[in-house]
């Protein structure tokens, strides 16, 4: 009996090891071409590109020799035959960069002025707002030969995406680089990694059956806005804390609660989610109208917008996605991939916030568990 159990465990261990031999290249088999924007594109043009391609970040391309890349990076696209440099990727612009710029208080704290300046802000070149979020301070590449564990190490540090040179001219074999030259690139994201791991769930063994609390990916620090917070103030909250999304909680009877600021969400009743991604599909005229609205009302309007139609069968995140601390890692990953969200709010039996689980939390906890499993093999 024991011998059979040992044989089963050995077989499972070998299966997991085979999965860990997979590389970044294996995760990009079905990935389409890289979508980018030129450095001269306006912020309005960039938001239109985000909407058209249903993405939340885009690399910014410029002529070679004129710019220093984000974080001192030198990511170049060159001709495959001659090696001549065609363009230089100078950074990545995300919705959080755009939110940070929209919420900048350099003009005025007056709401009317905020709306009046929005059109002017949308005309600035996208190159001028790179690096307003923490992730935008650097631009990363992952060699296509990088194994899954090394890829997970990068994504466990809060990096959400990296460019992948499909025919690297550099001598490095695998890993992360700030200097790269290739004739074409693709983009790999945390979501791509989780989708790949979900598709290979049987090869991960019992790890996915662990609860999010047991495996250590439950983050108990959760900030929120209230149902009385206005859109412009919610945007400023995201900017201040460099958050991509916050839960919307029922307001307290405490008359001293400031609805213009983030509040401690733990133990509060969540009723929705306000995300930087929600702003992606807002035309300028609509955004000007919606800034004075309450964030909860705004999310309800956005959820009915045709701009948030499903992509490839993925449902638009119209409802708050949540789970309980006892939920298995497999269950949470399923929700993230099927609902195409980047975090799941964790609630207790009374439906009150107990924390959150982000893609970064999941990747980090999975990596630690896989390394522990390898150590005992």
């Amino acid at each position: 009996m024991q011998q059979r159990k040992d044989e089963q465990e050995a077989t499972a261990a070998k299966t997991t090891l085979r999965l860990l031999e997979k590389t970044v290249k294996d995760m990009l088999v079905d990935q389409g071409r890289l979508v980018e924007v030129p450095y001269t594109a306006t912020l309005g043009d960039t938001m239109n590109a985000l909407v058209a391609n249903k993405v939340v970040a885009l690399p910014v391309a410029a002529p070679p020799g004129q710019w220093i890349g984000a974080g001192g990076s030198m990511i170049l696209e060159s001709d495959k035959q001659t090696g001549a440099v065609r363009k230089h990727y100078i950074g990545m612009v995300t919705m959080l960069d755009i939110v940070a710029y929209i919420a900048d208080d350099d003009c005025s704290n007056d709401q009317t002025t905020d709306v009046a300046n929005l059109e002017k802000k949308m005309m600035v070149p996208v190159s001028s707002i790179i690096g307003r979020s923490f992730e935008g301070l650097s631009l990363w590449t992952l060699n296509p030969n990088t194994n899954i564990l090394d890829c997970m190490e990068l994504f466990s540090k809060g990096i959400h995406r990296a460019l992948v040179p499909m025919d690297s001219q550099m001598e490095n074999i695998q890993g992360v680089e700030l200097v790269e030259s290739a004739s074409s690139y693709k983009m790999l994201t945390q979501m791509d990694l989780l989708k790949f791991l979900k598709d290979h769930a049987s090869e991960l063994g019992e790890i996915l059956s662990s609860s999010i609390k047991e495996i250590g990916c439950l983050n108990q620090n959760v900030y929120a806005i209230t149902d009385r917070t206005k859109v412009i103030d919610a945007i400023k909250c995201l900017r201040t804390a460099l958050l991509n999304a916050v839960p919307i909680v029922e307001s307290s009877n405490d008359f001293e609660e400031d609805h213009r600021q983030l509040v401690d969400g733990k133990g509060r009743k969540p009723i929705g989610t306000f995300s930087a991604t929600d702003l992606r599909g807002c035309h300028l005229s609509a955004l000007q109208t919606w800034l004075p609205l309450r964030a909860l009302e705004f999310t309800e309007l956005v959820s009915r917008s045709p701009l948030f139609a499903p992509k490839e069968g993925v449902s638009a995140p119209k409802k708050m996605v949540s789970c309980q601390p006892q939920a298995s890692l497999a269950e949470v990953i399923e929700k993230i991939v099927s609902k195409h969200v980047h975090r799941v709010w964790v609630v207790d039996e009374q439906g009150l916030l107990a924390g959150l689980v982000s893609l970064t939390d999941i990747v980090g906890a999975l990596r630690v568990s896989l390394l522990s499993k390898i150590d005992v093999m």
Side-chain angles (χ1 to χ4, degrees), residues 8-25:
Q8 289 175 337
E9 289 179 351
T11 301
K14 289 178 181 178
T15 301
T16 301
L17 284 174
R18 282 197 296 272
L19 172 64
L20 297 182
E21 290 172 356
K22 299 288 187 181
T23 65
V24 165
K25 189 184 300 182

Side-chain angles (χ1 to χ4, degrees), residues 42-62:
T42 67
L43 206 55
D45 292 336
T46 303
M47 288 188 73
N48 288 337
L50 290 168
V51 172
N53 294 282
K54 295 186 183 291
V55 294
V56 295
L58 289 168
V60 180

Side-chain angles (χ1 to χ4, degrees), residues 81-375:
Q81 302 299 325
T82 66
V85 178
R86 293 191 293 244
K87 65 180 72 167
H88 177 193
Y89 291 108
I90 60 174
M92 189 82 67
V93 62
T94 70
M95 273 309 306
L96 191 54
D97 291 312
I98 295 175
V99 165
Y101 180 70
I102 291 175
D104 199 326
D105 289 324
D106 60 356
C107 295
S108 171
N109 288 321
D110 179 73
Q111 182 176 290
T112 304
T113 308
D114 279 324
V115 175
N117 278 281
L118 185 59
E119 186 169 0
K120 181 180 179 181
K121 287 186 173 186
M122 286 297 176
M123 294 304 294
V124 304
V126 67
S127 55
S128 67
I129 72 161
I130 293 173
R132 286 181 174 258
S133 66
F134 175 75
E135 187 175 359
L137 294 174
S138 297
L139 182 62
W140 303 93
T141 68
L142 269 175
N143 190 278
N145 297 317
T146 304
N147 65 46
I148 284 184
L149 280 176
D150 288 342
C151 175
M152 293 175 79
E153 182 181 13
L154 176 68
F155 286 155
S156 69
K157 295 178 178 177
I159 304 300
H160 299 137
R161 54 192 62 82
L163 294 178
V164 180
M166 299 314 294
D167 54 349
S168 174
Q169 296 178 18
M170 307 302 287
E171 294 180 358
N172 58 297
I173 298 174
Q174 63 175 4
V176 181
E177 290 292 332
L178 287 172
V179 177
E180 187 58 80
S181 180
S183 65
S184 66
Y185 292 83
K186 289 188 177 183
M187 180 119 73
L188 184 75
T189 67
Q190 286 180 324
M191 184 67 78
D192 295 326
L193 172 62
L194 277 193
K195 285 179 179 178
F196 184 82
L197 293 176
K198 175 181 174 292
D199 291 341
H200 294 79
S202 61
E203 298 167 57
L204 288 171
E206 74 283 354
I207 293 176
L208 293 183
S209 62
S210 304
S211 74
I212 55 172
K213 189 174 183 179
E214 291 170 342
I215 203 169
C217 60
L218 170 55
N219 185 344
Q220 298 187 43
N221 298 316
V222 55
Y223 295 101
I225 58 174
T226 77
D227 54 14
R228 298 183 191 177
T229 304
K230 294 182 178 179
V231 172
I232 184 61
D233 293 320
I235 291 174
K236 290 179 179 179
C237 286
L238 293 182
R239 173 187 182 272
T240 301
L242 293 180
L243 296 171
N244 284 291
V246 287
I248 304 172
V249 298
E250 290 182 347
S251 53
S252 168
N253 292 327
D254 184 352
F255 66 91
E256 294 183 355
E257 187 167 65
D258 189 348
H259 304 291
R260 296 170 300 174
Q261 304 292 331
L262 289 171
V263 300
D264 184 357
K266 197 166 183 181
R268 303 283 290 267
K269 179 73 172 179
I271 52 178
T273 300
F274 181 80
S275 170
T277 308
D278 293 339
L279 299 166
R280 178 185 62 191
C282 300
H283 291 299
L284 179 60
S285 58
L287 192 53
Q288 288 174 325
T289 303
W290 291 348
L291 283 177
L293 297 180
R294 291 183 177 182
L296 182 62
E297 185 180 358
F298 166 78
T299 59
E300 292 168 349
L301 288 170
V302 166
S303 70
R304 296 192 294 268
S305 169
L307 292 170
F308 285 81
K311 177 184 178 181
E312 298 176 359
V314 177
S315 299
K318 296 180 181 180
K319 295 181 180 179
M320 185 184 70
V321 181
S322 64
C323 70
Q324 292 194 340
Q326 294 76 29
S328 69
L329 191 55
E331 179 186 341
V332 174
I333 291 176
E334 171 62 34
K335 286 187 176 186
I336 284 174
V337 173
S338 63
K339 301 295 184 184
H340 205 73
V341 295
H342 293 81
R343 71 215 44 86
V344 174
W345 309 119
V346 182
V347 296
D348 60 22
E349 293 179 354
Q350 286 74 46
L352 304 180
L353 275 171
L356 66 97
V357 179
S358 69
L359 272 64
T360 299
D361 298 325
I362 291 175
V363 172
L366 261 176
R367 183 174 183 273
V368 169
S369 296
L370 288 168
L371 286 172
S372 298
K373 191 172 182 178
I374 290 173
D375 288 341

